[in-house]
Amino acid sequence: MNTERYRIAEPRKVDLKRFPTGGEGQVSKDEIRGRLLPANVRRMADLQERLFAENTRSLLVVLQAMDAAGKDGVIRHVMSGINPQGVQVVNFKAPSAEENDQTYLWRVARALPRRGEIGVFNRSHYEDVLVARVHDLVRRSQFPQDLVTDDFWERRYRQIRDFERYLVENGTAVVKFFLHVSKDEQRGRLLSRITEPDKHWKFSRTDTDERQHWDEYQQAYELMLGSTSAPEAPWYVVPADDKWFTRLVVSQVVRDTLEAMDPQYPELASEEREAMEECRRILEEDGGK
């Protein structure tokens, strides 16, 4: 499928109202579940094995969204067929006391995928230009207040762009997804967490509280998306009202990114090939002894 329509490849003004939240009836749920998504997962698994064997590069997948947009479902269904030894999922919640004693990118840098791995950030360093901005947390933090100047957020966007460029230039590909859910759809999903007993464990009062800041978050996302997209680390604004379509788009982008990386199994040196042939000879001569 063509995912370019959802891609923001460079800094520009973003109006989220111009991006769809639904799958627009492009493909049926049965087609996604039965054929398209499994095919992408199988290909991703093959490419991830090659990436792991190559052991020189890594891939970072960033997921950001409003509450109940489907991040957990994307992780569960898109990454389901990949060897867990080569995938690391990190959930970023409110910073701990130790993390607050460091710069905001510190905890993210510690969680980056190792060479040969795929890292998935469920929320990320972008919380520090979203939640922190909506709730003005910087002015209530240990951050030096004399540095909170009029250009503070622009500086932080620049720092993030520089950080992600640094990752790419050192062998970590970066792809970022904003799961774009509508306000009505979010309302329905939050209500289901209250009305359906098997979803009670998902319910949090803070989700409802944060919903009261919907407009401020939409503005913060627009500024963030428009300021931190780059050719080397693009954002994708993925429709999130139809969960299976969301999963298909994310899987296609991750697959395409791995295809472009084109990881290869390493070739053995002549000495290693000779040693392997010697081992083969010994095992064949051993027979059933």
Side-chain angles (χ1 to χ4, degrees):
M1 69 182 303
N2 180 14
T3 59
E4 284 300 305
R5 72 184 72 182
Y6 309 117
R7 187 173 187 257
I8 304 175
E10 57 188 16
R12 63 178 174 85
K13 183 175 176 59
V14 170
D15 180 359
L16 284 175
K17 294 183 179 66
R18 295 180 177 273
F19 287 86
T21 59
E24 304 164 303
Q26 296 180 47
V27 61
S28 71
K29 176 180 175 180
D30 289 343
E31 179 75 353
I32 294 171
R33 292 182 63 179
R35 186 176 69 86
L36 298 176
L37 184 58
N40 279 350
V41 170
R42 286 193 299 271
R43 181 56 177 154
M44 286 163 54
D46 173 62
L47 291 163
Q48 186 276 328
E49 182 175 311
R50 293 169 180 267
L51 184 73
F52 191 82
E54 186 184 66
N55 198 35
T56 60
R57 294 171 293 168
S58 58
L59 171 62
L60 175 62
V61 176
V62 174
L63 296 174
Q64 287 288 158
M66 297 292 288
D67 297 313
K71 298 187 303 301
D72 292 344
V74 164
I75 294 169
R76 183 168 62 253
H77 290 279
V78 173
M79 299 297 171
S80 61
I82 298 179
N83 188 334
Q85 290 185 338
V87 178
Q88 176 187 9
V89 178
V90 183
N91 297 292
F92 288 98
K93 299 182 179 181
S96 66
E98 179 186 21
E99 290 167 343
N100 278 327
D101 278 335
Q102 304 288 340
T103 57
Y104 74 98
L105 289 174
W106 179 78
R107 67 173 182 163
V108 175
R110 295 176 70 204
L112 289 169
R114 295 174 293 186
R115 298 191 189 280
E117 293 185 351
I118 297 174
V120 181
F121 283 0
N122 187 348
R123 303 190 186 275
S124 65
H125 43 299
Y126 285 99
E127 294 293 283
D128 290 282
V129 293
L130 293 167
V131 178
R133 184 164 194 169
V134 169
H135 293 288
D136 199 22
L137 298 181
V138 176
R139 293 194 181 277
R140 290 181 278 142
S141 71
Q142 296 163 254
F143 192 84
Q145 294 303 294
D146 61 305
L147 297 180
V148 187
T149 54
D150 291 342
D151 64 343
F152 174 81
W153 296 110
E154 290 304 321
R155 293 204 321 270
R156 188 157 278 195
Y157 294 142
R158 174 185 52 77
Q159 292 160 7
I160 290 174
R161 291 195 304 270
D162 290 344
F163 173 68
E164 291 176 350
R165 185 181 304 112
Y166 162 82
L167 294 181
V168 172
E169 291 177 352
N170 283 274
T172 298
V174 179
V175 62
K176 304 172 294 190
F177 299 97
F178 169 57
L179 307 189
H180 188 26
V181 69
S182 67
K183 193 174 184 179
D184 284 345
E185 178 65 20
Q186 190 209 43
R187 175 180 174 275
R189 293 182 188 180
L190 292 177
L191 275 174
S192 72
R193 295 179 178 183
I194 297 173
T195 60
E196 299 177 28
D198 61 341
K199 294 183 179 180
H200 284 176
W201 65 275
K202 293 183 178 182
F203 176 74
S204 171
R205 175 58 186 267
T206 58
D207 294 345
T208 306
D209 294 340
E210 290 295 89
R211 179 176 163 83
Q212 306 309 309
H213 300 279
W214 180 274
D215 290 340
E216 295 103 303
Y217 271 111
Q218 294 299 295
Q219 182 180 31
Y221 269 110
E222 289 175 342
L223 292 168
M224 177 269 287
L225 292 166
S227 300
T228 60
S229 284
E232 68 273 9
W235 275 105
Y236 288 82
V237 180
V238 182
D241 283 1
D242 303 317
K243 293 181 179 180
W244 285 100
F245 187 77
T246 306
R247 296 161 188 170
L248 176 62
V249 174
V250 172
S251 71
Q252 188 66 56
V253 172
V254 173
R255 173 179 175 168
D256 291 346
T257 302
L258 287 167
E259 295 271 15
M261 293 172 72
D262 193 25
Q264 300 293 321
Y265 290 113
E267 293 188 11
L268 295 178
S270 58
E271 296 83 359
E272 293 172 316
R273 286 198 300 270
E274 291 172 2
M276 188 168 63
E277 284 300 313
E278 176 64 14
C279 291
R280 181 165 70 90
R281 183 188 64 77
I282 293 172
L283 289 170
E284 288 176 345
E285 289 179 355
D286 180 65
K289 298 177 184 178

